[in-house]
Amino acid sequence: MPKKPIITLLTDFGLEDTYVAEMKAVILSICPNVTLVDLTHNIEPYNIRMGAYLLARSAEQFPEGTVHLAVVDPGVGGPRKPLIIETNSAFFVGPDNGLLVLAAEKLGISHVYEITNRAYMRKEVSNVFHGRDIFAPAAAYLALGVPAKEFGEEIFDYVKPSYTKPKIFRDKIVGEVIHIDHFGNIITNITKKQLNMKGIDYGKSFSIIFKNRKPVKVKLLESYSKAKKRELLTIVGSGGFIEVSANMANASKILNVKPGTKVTFNFSS
Amino acid sequence: MPKKPIITLLTDFGLEDTYVAEMKAVILSICPNVTLVDLTHNIEPYNIRMGAYLLARSAEQFPEGTVHLAVVDPGVGGPRKPLIIETNSAFFVGPDNGLLVLAAEKLGISHVYEITNRAYMRKEVSNVFHGRDIFAPAAAYLALGVPAKEFGEEIFDYVKPSYTKPKIFRDKIVGEVIHIDHFGNIITNITKKQLNMKGIDYGKSFSIIFKNRKPVKVKLLESYSKAKKRELLTIVGSGGFIEVSANMANASKILNVKPGTKVTFNFSS
Amino acid sequence: MPKKPIITLLTDFGLEDTYVAEMKAVILSICPNVTLVDLTHNIEPYNIRMGAYLLARSAEQFPEGTVHLAVVDPGVGGPRKPLIIETNSAFFVGPDNGLLVLAAEKLGISHVYEITNRAYMRKEVSNVFHGRDIFAPAAAYLALGVPAKEFGEEIFDYVKPSYTKPKIFRDKIVGEVIHIDHFGNIITNITKKQLNMKGIDYGKSFSIIFKNRKPVKVKLLESYSKAKKRELLTIVGSGGFIEVSANMANASKILNVKPGTKVTFNFSS
């Protein structure tokens, strides 16, 4: 635990209500010395997968001992369990619906606990706001140094999402779009290593096919500015995946592509 | 006053300008050790009532001694007074237009002061930005421990808004929609206690009429997940009011309802 | 350097991704005791000029020793240099594309350094995210007290943008719209002093012409509330420039005006 603990927050609550602030109020009541960092609160409502991807890419940047509080929770108040996942270097707190696992696996899961101990919950627990009443206090007590095993029993049957890995063929890779960012960069689940194995390095071009549409010819470039203005390119994104981008323009609008779209990288022609 | 004071900020300034940051700069110049928490800056421009509701539901979650700085201020630079409201457990700083009173009354108003002491204002006071030049320094000096009575004279004729309470009849309750949240939940001003008095508890259904439209039959449920996907329900919201919701869908879009809409809960049929 | 250093952040990254949070993670890993303040992350993508204006108006409000980290960086990964600008009272960190200079000049530039020292960068530097990998660590080490000259060589040929100043004629001033704010206030690059020199003071009226459109007659008023509801007026904005506003309404929508629009203040009639 660092001397000044850090709690990060990721939700689909948006910023027009005070739901996020109410979670922070609960945290500060328990652990006044904490540093709070918003990851994002603009996860598309109920989009667990978008939350999982953004949590996974950002959590690994934080110092050891950080507590990550993540709430995209369509099943709130129902039978899904509230969880603490302890990893080698951080804690994750949130619902048992797959949201936390992608990030936690990257850091190495050591134990998973179901939160059941009422002593570490808000006095009154609303059925519609476990973010404030169960997850926020749990994160705050973890940041104070309460051991994860104090919150409830260890469990092993938590939800393990099978996020699609790309399929690798002789002369193509078939993956999918996992995220469109603020600039319209189209982030795929295909890595640089996988491209390299097909003989593609900086300066080389190949074809990209979204769904069943016409192929688009693009080069792998080292930086946006190596392309002409509005020209399409592929690049190694800062999260480690191959992105389809356009220099100073919005690739997702140019190509009309959304998260979840199937994408084929074709090296045959 | 806690050792590490907390100042919260609620405004209609949005996040695309730097108005909020400029208030924080002024606060940090006076009180460097403060913890700053954004409640929300997405209050609809000039919508005092939306600000009052969100301030009231979130302020009560914060630790004792918190200073709440709230600026929805269409009358800035005009005759409306700048206020400090001292309550049993917190301070509120903002314009005298009703914005603060709903929240302050919940915590128990002890004194109300008009801010007139130039010693606690920014050197130059712009006529269009009292948030930065009067309210932010006042909040910061309060957080430092300056007594509220140092800022100006006690007053008693501050604006006391008469926010509508629902009207209770033999077999119906007539209230209104006070807020639509990020998920499209329709938050009414009717409480669980009022519903219970009409014999409605979990699992029971009744009719809801928005304006003069066709009645909609809904059940009071304990959690969203007890309804089918996209099914309408009512639920006890985390702010204590009855909300009309849809499981994993946007009830306000399904029903085409806005804040201020009259709502009738009908128990006769 | 204050005991508790402050780092501000201004970007065009938006808040739906975790790019801003990843910069904060890197900063907190190096300088855990920092206070982080978001200026805004809603700069229009690639709009260096909007970033420069908002950085300039907000930076001067912060205490001495503040480090301002600003990233609007269409040339990331290309030949543009990463900079530290040292001024009399603050540091600016960001790309050499004009973004920092307007703000830095206001505070008095003393030295400009190109960041080249790998010891103060993230171990792995992505070609698409210098905000996280070069600028954030530089800001954090500056906040720790590392002297600016440790980061690289002093340079003198940094980009010096020539932001348009208004042209002053006998009976008119020709300037332009530099920003539209959240409320629709139309912020020009014309100052109160320039208006006064043409004999306009509070209560006096003159004509405003956007582009080649029909003139609009407006008064210079001391506060919004001196105009009728929805009436157009001009006012001295909190950034020191003349703004065209409407009382409790959105002037930019009423007049259909955008940033960059030419504006003529005409005093002849």
Side-chain angles (χ1 to χ4, degrees), chain B residues 15-17 19 22 122 127, chain C residues 40 57 179 181-182 222:
Chain B
L15 292 174
E16 60 274 46
D17 298 296
Y19 297 139
E22 293 172 40
R122 192 163 167 269
N127 265 333
Chain C
T40 177
R57 68 162 285 160
H179 185 59
D181 80 3
H182 180 66
E222 286 163 282

Side-chain angles (χ1 to χ4, degrees), chain C residues 13-30:
Chain C
F13 294 169
L15 293 173
E16 60 274 44
D17 298 295
T18 54
Y19 298 139
V20 171
E22 292 172 41
M23 293 202 297
K24 291 178 180 176
V26 168
I27 291 170
L28 288 166
S29 302
I30 295 165

Side-chain angles (χ1 to χ4, degrees), chain A:
Chain A
M1 207 44 54
K3 276 166 206 160
K4 191 164 169 41
I6 299 170
I7 296 177
T8 77
L9 300 97
L10 175 146
T11 73
D12 61 351
F13 294 169
L15 293 173
E16 60 273 45
D17 298 296
T18 55
Y19 298 139
V20 172
E22 292 172 40
M23 292 201 298
K24 291 178 181 176
V26 169
I27 291 170
L28 288 166
S29 302
I30 295 164
C31 183
N33 191 40
V34 75
T35 296
L36 296 166
V37 180
D38 297 306
L39 298 185
T40 177
H41 300 291
N42 294 322
I43 301 297
E44 205 181 276
Y46 321 122
N47 190 336
I48 292 165
R49 188 176 180 166
M50 178 182 170
Y53 163 70
L54 287 171
L55 183 62
R57 67 162 284 159
S58 54
E60 62 177 343
Q61 309 294 334
F62 281 84
E64 224 181 300
T66 297
V67 179
H68 300 286
L69 168 51
V71 190
V72 180
D73 194 13
V76 62
R80 72 92 192 91
K81 295 169 187 159
L83 292 190
I84 294 173
I85 304 185
E86 187 172 349
T87 72
N88 297 330
S89 59
F91 295 96
F92 293 86
V93 182
D96 182 20
N97 60 17
L99 178 64
L100 311 176
V101 172
L102 192 64
E105 276 177 349
K106 264 185 150 182
L107 303 183
I109 295 178
S110 47
H111 302 283
V112 180
Y113 301 96
E114 182 182 351
I115 304 172
T116 53
N117 190 340
R118 290 280 323 193
Y120 298 121
M121 298 182 189
R122 192 163 166 270
K123 251 177 227 161
E124 284 174 69
V125 174
S126 158
N127 265 334
V128 298
F129 198 1
H130 287 186
R132 181 188 69 192
D133 299 348
I134 295 179
F135 299 126
Y141 284 112
L142 282 170
L144 271 188
V146 175
K149 64 180 163 57
E150 297 293 317
F151 292 80
E153 295 294 311
E154 183 160 9
I155 63 167
F156 300 90
D157 60 340
Y158 54 92
V159 174
K160 292 166 195 84
S162 61
Y163 289 107
T164 319
K165 287 192 180 173
K167 290 192 186 104
I168 298 179
F169 299 93
R170 224 174 85 131
D171 50 11
K172 65 181 181 180
I173 301 176
V174 180
E176 63 177 83
V177 175
I178 48 175
H179 185 57
I180 306 290
D181 80 3
H182 180 66
F183 297 94
N185 295 311
I186 300 164
I187 300 163
T188 72
N189 62 344
I190 300 169
T191 64
K192 177 160 187 278
K193 207 171 159 185
Q194 289 162 344
L195 258 197
N196 290 165
M197 279 165 50
K198 296 298 176 194
I200 302 294
D201 215 325
Y202 292 124
K204 292 254 174 117
S205 55
F206 58 99
S207 290
I208 297 186
I209 300 149
F210 291 104
K211 268 190 240 171
N212 309 311
R213 295 188 212 159
K214 253 177 62 181
V216 182
K217 199 98 182 171
V218 289
K219 269 189 189 162
L220 180 67
L221 295 179
E222 286 164 283
S223 68
Y224 302 121
S225 53
K226 293 220 164 162
K228 278 175 254 162
K229 209 169 162 175
R230 294 186 61 80
E231 192 189 357
L232 291 166
L233 64 141
T234 57
I235 202 156
V236 183
S238 59
F241 294 113
I242 300 300
E243 304 182 3
V244 184
S245 302
N247 186 21
M248 294 197 64
N250 189 310
S252 84
K253 281 190 184 158
I254 293 171
L255 293 168
N256 191 23
V257 167
K258 291 186 178 155
T261 302
K262 180 180 144 187
V263 58
T264 304
F265 287 9
N266 194 322
F267 312 107
S268 62
S269 52

Side-chain angles (χ1 to χ4, degrees), chain B residues 4 12-19 21-22 24-25 28-29 32 45-46 74-78 122 126-129 132, chain C residues 6 15 35 37-40 42 54 57-58 61-63 179 181-183 222-225 235-238 248-249:
Chain B
K4 190 162 167 46
D12 62 350
F13 294 169
L15 292 174
E16 60 274 46
D17 298 296
T18 55
Y19 297 139
E22 293 172 40
K24 291 179 180 175
L28 288 167
S29 303
Y46 321 124
V76 61
R122 192 163 167 269
S126 158
N127 265 333
V128 298
F129 198 1
R132 181 188 67 192
Chain C
I6 298 170
L15 293 173
T35 297
V37 181
D38 297 307
L39 297 184
T40 177
N42 294 321
L54 287 171
R57 68 162 285 160
S58 55
Q61 310 294 336
F62 281 85
H179 185 59
D181 80 3
H182 180 66
F183 297 94
E222 286 163 282
S223 67
Y224 302 121
S225 52
I235 203 157
V236 182
S238 58
M248 294 196 65

Side-chain angles (χ1 to χ4, degrees), chain C:
Chain C
M1 206 47 50
K3 276 167 209 160
K4 192 163 166 45
I6 298 170
I7 296 178
T8 77
L9 300 98
L10 175 146
T11 72
D12 62 350
F13 294 169
L15 293 173
E16 60 274 44
D17 298 295
T18 54
Y19 298 139
V20 171
E22 292 172 41
M23 293 202 297
K24 291 178 180 176
V26 168
I27 291 170
L28 288 166
S29 302
I30 295 165
C31 184
N33 191 39
V34 74
T35 297
L36 296 166
V37 181
D38 297 307
L39 297 184
T40 177
H41 300 291
N42 294 321
I43 301 297
E44 203 181 276
Y46 321 123
N47 190 337
I48 292 166
R49 188 178 180 163
M50 178 182 171
Y53 163 71
L54 287 171
L55 182 62
R57 68 162 285 160
S58 55
E60 63 177 343
Q61 310 294 336
F62 281 85
E64 224 181 299
T66 297
V67 179
H68 300 286
L69 168 52
V71 189
V72 179
D73 195 13
V76 61
R80 72 95 191 89
K81 295 168 186 159
L83 293 188
I84 294 173
I85 304 186
E86 187 173 349
T87 73
N88 297 330
S89 58
F91 294 96
F92 293 87
V93 181
D96 182 20
N97 60 17
L99 177 66
L100 311 176
V101 172
L102 194 65
E105 276 177 347
K106 265 186 150 180
L107 303 183
I109 295 178
S110 48
H111 303 282
V112 180
Y113 301 95
E114 182 182 353
I115 305 171
T116 53
N117 190 340
R118 291 277 327 192
Y120 299 121
M121 298 182 189
R122 192 163 166 271
K123 252 177 226 163
E124 283 174 69
V125 174
S126 157
N127 265 333
V128 298
F129 198 1
H130 288 187
R132 181 189 68 193
D133 298 348
I134 296 179
F135 300 127
Y141 284 112
L142 283 169
L144 270 189
V146 175
K149 66 180 163 57
E150 298 293 317
F151 292 80
E153 296 293 312
E154 183 160 9
I155 64 167
F156 301 90
D157 60 339
Y158 55 90
V159 173
K160 292 165 195 85
S162 61
Y163 289 106
T164 320
K165 287 191 179 174
K167 291 191 185 106
I168 299 178
F169 299 94
R170 226 175 84 132
D171 51 12
K172 64 180 180 182
I173 301 176
V174 180
E176 63 176 83
V177 174
I178 47 175
H179 185 59
I180 306 289
D181 80 3
H182 180 66
F183 297 94
N185 295 310
I186 300 165
I187 300 164
T188 74
N189 61 344
I190 299 169
T191 64
K192 177 160 189 276
K193 208 172 159 185
Q194 288 162 347
L195 258 196
N196 289 164
M197 278 165 50
K198 296 298 177 194
I200 303 296
D201 215 327
Y202 292 125
K204 293 254 174 118
S205 55
F206 59 98
S207 290
I208 297 186
I209 301 148
F210 291 103
K211 268 191 238 168
N212 309 309
R213 295 186 211 159
K214 254 177 61 182
V216 182
K217 201 95 182 175
V218 288
K219 269 189 189 162
L220 181 67
L221 296 179
E222 286 163 282
S223 67
Y224 302 121
S225 52
K226 294 220 163 161
K228 277 174 256 164
K229 208 169 163 173
R230 293 188 61 81
E231 191 188 358
L232 291 166
L233 64 140
T234 57
I235 203 157
V236 182
S238 58
F241 294 113
I242 300 300
E243 303 182 5
V244 184
S245 302
N247 185 21
M248 294 196 65
N250 188 309
S252 83
K253 280 191 184 157
I254 294 171
L255 294 168
N256 190 23
V257 167
K258 290 186 180 157
T261 303
K262 183 179 142 186
V263 58
T264 304
F265 286 11
N266 194 322
F267 313 106
S268 63
S269 53

